[in-house]
Amino acid sequence: MSAFKNKSRRQFLIETAGSAATLGMVSAFGGISSAQAASFPDHNMDVVVGTRAGGGADRALRAVSSVWKDYLNTNFEPAYFPGASGRVAYEVYMGKRDPDCYNLLFGNMGPELLNWVVKKPTFNLDDFMYFGRVDTDPCCVFVKADSKYRTIDDLVAEGKKRKLNVGTSRMAHPASVGILAVGEKTGAQFNLIPLSGGKNTVAGAVTGEMDFSVLTSGSVIAAGEAVRTLLVFNDENVMAAKLNNAPTMNDHFGTDIPPLLSARAFGIHVAAVNKYPDRFALLQETFKKSVQDPAFAPAFKKAKGTPEYINYGGIEECRKYAEEITELGARFKSMLSGKA
Amino acid sequence: MGNEPESGSTDNSANDDVRVSLGGELILPIMALVFTLYYFSTIVDSPWTAQVNAFMVGSLLISVIVLFLLRMAIMVSRGEADLGLGNLLQPAKLLPSRLIYIVLIVLYLLGIEWGGGFTISTFLFLLCAMLLLNKGKDKAFVLGLSAGLALLGYGVFIIAFETRFPAGPFEKLMQGVF
Amino acid sequence: MEIDLLFFINLFLDTLSYWWVIVPSIFLGLIVGAIPGFSAANTIIILLPFTLIMEVEVGLIFMIALYSSSRMGAGIPAILVNIPGTAGAAATPLDGYPMTKSGRGQQALAISFVSSTLGGLLTTVLAIAAMPILAKVGFYMHSVEMVVVMLFGISLIASIAAKDTLKGLIAGFFGLMIGSIGADHVYATPRGTFGFLEFYDGVPLIPALVGLFAVSEALLVIEGESVLVKKKQIEEDHSSWNETIIGMKIAFKHWWHITWNSLIGLVVGVIPGAGASIASFVAYQQSRTYSKTPELYGTGHPPGLIAPESANNGVTSGTLIPLLVLGIPGGATAAIMMVVLQYQGVNTGPRLFLDNPTLGYGVFMAMFVTYLFMLLTIMPLSRYMSRVTLISTVYMSPLIISFTLIGSYVPRTYMFDMYLAFAFGIIGYIARKTGYHVAAILIGVILGPLLEQYMLRALKMSDGDVMVLFRSDLANVLWIVLVVTLSFPYIMKKFRSRKDTPPDKPEGQENVFAKD
């Protein structure tokens, strides 16, 4: 048992080596936490979720926790804080939840990192970190199945004649950034209309109220025959068969933008990591096992997720993604915030 | 609550010989007015999307309040009404116990939050409130009833449904037992 | 999903399997319905902690069963002691109570039960039949149309305010303003939050609901000795089963009367703001107008009891149509259901039948099954229904406070929400004591954010051009209907004032515009 603990702590130290402060804290608290971790977790894990119950994030969370709970031998209790584009959840999590490794945040890195670009939160961003990515779901452009727009070029051509209304789930969303990038490249005019949530965004396109919509492709695949995908914001169209063989942004327009993803991930207080390194190590390790567990993909599929998009990521992958999306978001800040 | 209690000065106005007291009716419009002005102050620098609805609804609200105040001023100047509180504080003999009751509710909430926990706070609140309202009669029955209800609440909400109320001494004690 | 006969059969069988929720809810509803001033709305609010924790289907079936049966329960004291349990039963005592006085109380109860149940069953079937057509509405309702639809809902305020328009409007606009608290729907700018994070997501509806309705009620109710104002001793009915059977026979003989009046209820129920009280008076009025023996009305004439009872149960299903199809609550109970559904992540409105048809139809199926169970369970018990117990406010009021504050805590587990419910309780208390309608405030709080969301969408799509609200044909039709509907309560008021007040006018029926 103690060998296991030591190994996982070493692993943890390597992964967080970037932060000297963290390192110091870990050594300082290591002895105490070791004893505490023995009984961890002795009650439910509480997960703050930034969307409403029943949405994509919620389903993904349930799928992960259905596997993860067996590794941790405890239940996961989600608490939903929709509103202000996920901001509420982060503020609640950082402001009201104890940094004790029992409280986690399950978020969508893309849209939520873009929030901070538009308006800084009240807490210090360095006090929060993502540590476990579940999936990477690229955003895409889609129209209703019987739309007169057959290709992305049709849309761009029309967008040069008049401003097109584009349904998006939130302003500060990778998909919104993606379509703004298309506009920047081609000179087409796009008017982003936030429809709060994936269901509404699909509905916006299907009912014809919007000229087209942008959204994460998982939700578009779930919409089935009702919609047709015209462009994917990823390095390759992993799900080409289900996304109408749509081209990718960089291929089609010769741009060089990072993949625009919805990347659902667990985050945690840095203070909790420092105070309870053993608990955190256990979380990291069991999380990785859970995502890579053969039982996870079927659970994820059952939860209407796209198993092909399952893509484990640790602290490092999460940090890299955060940097890229933050930089791109800053480029379109004025259009996302409504302020010049 | 489909049956609104028949209260308010509109009913009093039936008594022609008595002047209507409209002071109580001023409270809500003044609250609304102050709130609306505060709301406006929070959106001065915001994008238009944050402002349009508030300015529309808010200006309608302010206009209606102004009309209301005008109507009231006319009634007062004609001697048809005064600015007394009407039946807001009526019946007078119930006022002290109602005020104590309200204080008890606040203490109840503070008790839950500040360490009393759900069960003990609920028990004490029910006990005090029921004794207050029945003027101290049937003490044993009230004691049993409030203890029973508090325990029922504990069993249902905390044990069965796992609602996370702030834990107090009782909950911590029971946690040790289970 | 294929909506065919098989779908309905499956749904019916599925709903039947929830008998364990339905049957207890029916009895609970009957009892609370029978306590004057204690409507289904109160009960749902008080039991909110349970409703929120239940699975969405169970919670919904519970609410529906409670709602339907409390409507019937409200007729009991109306008939027996001349006190309508809710405003919706205000026309019931007109002929029901004279029947009791002449020793036919048991008969009257049986008539009331049969009329209520058949009226409810029939209108529910009609509502289910109409749904496939109404459900298509979702495809045509865009943001602009929804703006008008939300105004329909908000027009409820105007009809609630019929007694004192200015005060009603102040309450309603104040509610809309409170409903605007929170982050803006496009750029997420926080507004009017007093610096509280808990308000970013808007005003949480359950604390608002609990405070405005229940806490204020609990503060008021201590003025009376008991919830049921005991006007006179309920006369023990010594009659035999025979009376019940005679009553049932009379009711069945008037099947056409039941059909016609429940249809009136259905139609009136669909109109926001025109509730059970209006429907029952309209039904009573037209029943007497077209009767061959109008002089018998008010003397204990069975059709005078059948008309309001079948009509107010018709309203029950009617009220749910705008809630489910358009997402606007027609009255307090519907508003509460909407709040609970929203909490459960189910958004009522045009998309409901496209996204979640099982739930949409399930609501009406639950109502159908409830009425079916009522027919089977209540009729044999009607004999004993007259024994209504008295509950002292001394014990009720603290219990209401405690339970409803817990209810406001459950959804988000914020202490903040309990304090907020208390604050709304004080606002509600002041409002009630000074003649403002808490329902008007609540409608504003519920619909305010929805109206703003749709309006912003429409405006953002047109780059801020307000005329976009008048550029859609469908929206323009809706605008016209809105104007017509707005005048409806005033027409009804005139209609009512022309009506002769029958002898032995029951107490507590001033407030006929408050829909429960």
Side-chain angles (χ1 to χ4, degrees), chain B residues 107-125 150 154 158 165-173, chain C residues 415 419:
Chain B
L107 287 178
Y108 174 41
L109 296 181
L110 292 175
I112 295 180
E113 190 173 8
W114 291 347
F118 167 79
T119 318
I120 292 179
S121 306
T122 303
F123 165 67
L124 289 177
F125 168 71
Y154 169 76
I158 296 182
F165 279 100
F170 181 80
E171 287 82 6
K172 285 177 186 149
L173 183 77
Chain C
M415 277 309 293
Y419 290 109

Side-chain angles (χ1 to χ4, degrees), chain A residues 55-69:
Chain A
D58 181 30
R59 290 198 302 264
L61 171 66
R62 282 171 197 277
V64 187
S65 55
S66 73
V67 180
W68 199 2
K69 75 181 168 64

Side-chain angles (χ1 to χ4, degrees), chain A residues 84-153:
Chain A
S85 311
R87 199 179 283 272
V88 181
Y90 281 79
E91 296 283 0
V92 165
Y93 180 73
M94 293 305 289
K96 291 187 180 290
R97 295 294 192 252
D98 293 333
D100 57 2
C101 286
Y102 279 100
N103 285 292
L104 302 178
L105 182 140
F106 188 64
N108 191 338
M109 286 199 283
E112 284 146 23
L113 284 160
L114 286 171
N115 280 342
W116 316 136
V117 173
V118 172
K119 187 168 183 274
K120 290 246 176 296
T122 60
F123 59 90
N124 185 347
L125 276 169
D126 294 335
D127 293 341
F128 177 84
M129 62 189 269
Y130 295 102
F131 71 93
R133 189 181 66 196
V134 176
D135 67 339
T136 49
D137 180 350
C139 298
C140 67
V141 173
F142 66 98
V143 290
K144 63 174 172 174
D146 56 351
S147 168
K148 61 180 172 176
Y149 309 113
R150 307 304 297 175
T151 66
I152 186 71
D153 294 323

Side-chain angles (χ1 to χ4, degrees), chain A residues 32-66:
Chain A
I32 309 164
S33 317
S34 191
Q36 287 173 341
S39 59
F40 176 82
D42 62 3
H43 59 78
N44 287 353
M45 299 293 297
D46 290 297
V47 187
V48 169
V49 186
T51 57
R52 61 181 76 146
D58 181 30
R59 290 198 302 264
L61 171 66
R62 282 171 197 277
V64 187
S65 55
S66 73

Side-chain angles (χ1 to χ4, degrees), chain A:
Chain A
M1 187 68 191
S2 95
F4 165 75
K5 290 268 174 229
N6 288 339
K7 186 187 166 205
S8 55
R9 188 165 342 135
R10 257 200 316 278
Q11 192 183 340
F12 164 71
L13 291 181
I14 294 160
E15 283 174 2
T16 52
S19 160
T22 307
L23 199 70
M25 297 291 275
V26 168
S27 324
F29 288 98
I32 309 164
S33 317
S34 191
Q36 287 173 341
S39 59
F40 176 82
D42 62 3
H43 59 78
N44 287 353
M45 299 293 297
D46 290 297
V47 187
V48 169
V49 186
T51 57
R52 61 181 76 146
D58 181 30
R59 290 198 302 264
L61 171 66
R62 282 171 197 277
V64 187
S65 55
S66 73
V67 180
W68 199 2
K69 75 181 168 64
D70 293 335
Y71 282 100
L72 281 177
N73 202 19
T74 192
N75 284 317
F76 284 75
E77 235 178 71
Y80 306 96
F81 298 92
S85 311
R87 199 179 283 272
V88 181
Y90 281 79
E91 296 283 0
V92 165
Y93 180 73
M94 293 305 289
K96 291 187 180 290
R97 295 294 192 252
D98 293 333
D100 57 2
C101 286
Y102 279 100
N103 285 292
L104 302 178
L105 182 140
F106 188 64
N108 191 338
M109 286 199 283
E112 284 146 23
L113 284 160
L114 286 171
N115 280 342
W116 316 136
V117 173
V118 172
K119 187 168 183 274
K120 290 246 176 296
T122 60
F123 59 90
N124 185 347
L125 276 169
D126 294 335
D127 293 341
F128 177 84
M129 62 189 269
Y130 295 102
F131 71 93
R133 189 181 66 196
V134 176
D135 67 339
T136 49
D137 180 350
C139 298
C140 67
V141 173
F142 66 98
V143 290
K144 63 174 172 174
D146 56 351
S147 168
K148 61 180 172 176
Y149 309 113
R150 307 304 297 175
T151 66
I152 186 71
D153 294 323
D154 293 349
L155 272 186
V156 168
E158 182 74 13
K160 285 176 181 167
K161 286 184 224 153
R162 66 179 177 98
K163 206 183 216 179
L164 297 182
N165 286 319
V166 188
T168 180
S169 72
R170 317 167 170 178
M171 286 307 255
H173 191 282
S176 312
V177 172
I179 199 66
L180 290 176
V182 173
E184 188 188 57
K185 175 77 185 171
T186 62
Q189 296 270 307
F190 299 121
N191 182 19
L192 283 168
I193 313 291
L195 298 175
S196 39
K199 256 184 200 169
N200 292 338
T201 309
V202 171
V206 171
T207 61
E209 180 166 21
M210 302 294 145
D211 291 299
F212 68 100
S213 284
V214 289
L215 191 61
T216 48
S217 61
S219 311
V220 176
I221 292 170
E225 301 284 299
V227 295
R228 203 152 38 81
T229 305
L230 303 185
L231 188 71
V232 177
F233 298 107
N234 202 3
D235 292 334
E236 64 170 315
N237 189 349
V238 183
M239 294 290 289
K242 289 191 172 171
L243 291 173
N244 308 91
N245 291 311
T248 65
M249 165 95 182
N250 289 345
D251 270 358
H252 194 77
F253 293 109
T255 49
D256 182 26
I257 60 166
L260 295 170
L261 310 166
S262 146
R264 286 173 289 214
F266 284 92
I268 192 164
H269 306 96
V270 170
V273 173
N274 293 338
K275 201 171 170 192
Y276 303 101
D278 284 18
R279 290 183 182 182
F280 181 63
L282 185 70
L283 287 178
Q284 270 190 298
E285 185 173 312
T286 49
F287 171 74
K288 187 173 184 181
K289 281 183 185 163
S290 310
V291 175
Q292 292 170 349
D293 190 303
F296 176 55
F300 193 62
K301 191 172 182 184
K302 206 175 145 199
K304 294 184 188 167
T306 314
E308 289 83 349
Y309 289 154
I310 294 174
N311 189 0
Y312 167 79
I315 295 176
E316 212 27 65
E317 290 89 341
C318 293
R319 188 156 53 201
K320 179 169 176 281
Y321 175 73
E323 275 168 17
E324 286 176 352
I325 191 85
T326 305
E327 199 183 299
L328 192 64
R331 227 159 88 193
F332 297 106
K333 187 178 171 182
S334 67
M335 289 160 112
L336 301 177
S337 68
K339 288 179 182 169

Side-chain angles (χ1 to χ4, degrees), chain C residues 69-214:
Chain C
S69 59
S70 74
R71 183 74 80 204
M72 182 142 99
I76 299 171
I79 291 168
L80 295 178
V81 285
N82 200 13
I83 301 168
T86 60
T92 305
L94 300 180
D95 276 281
Y97 186 59
M99 284 183 80
T100 303
K101 280 204 295 190
S102 62
R104 290 181 293 152
Q106 195 59 44
Q107 228 183 70
L109 281 181
I111 291 174
S112 149
F113 288 164
V114 174
S115 318
S116 300
T117 322
L118 290 186
L121 269 179
L122 182 83
T123 47
T124 311
V125 170
L126 278 174
I128 292 176
M131 264 317 125
I133 305 158
L134 292 173
K136 292 213 174 73
V137 163
F139 282 105
Y140 305 101
M141 292 304 209
H142 295 168
S143 305
V144 174
E145 288 78 12
M146 286 309 287
V147 169
V148 196
V149 166
M150 286 303 135
L151 290 173
F152 267 100
I154 289 165
S155 74
L156 181 57
I157 292 168
S159 54
I160 286 173
K163 216 161 149 191
D164 184 337
T165 312
L166 270 184
K167 285 169 81 176
L169 291 178
I170 288 174
F173 284 129
F174 187 28
L176 284 172
M177 212 57 214
I178 294 174
S180 310
I181 290 176
D184 113 65
H185 299 273
V186 176
Y187 297 117
T189 324
R191 307 161 304 166
T193 59
F194 299 99
F196 288 113
L197 262 179
E198 289 87 342
F199 276 144
Y200 268 47
D201 197 14
V203 174
L205 294 180
I206 286 166
L209 183 78
V210 157
L212 287 173
F213 279 70

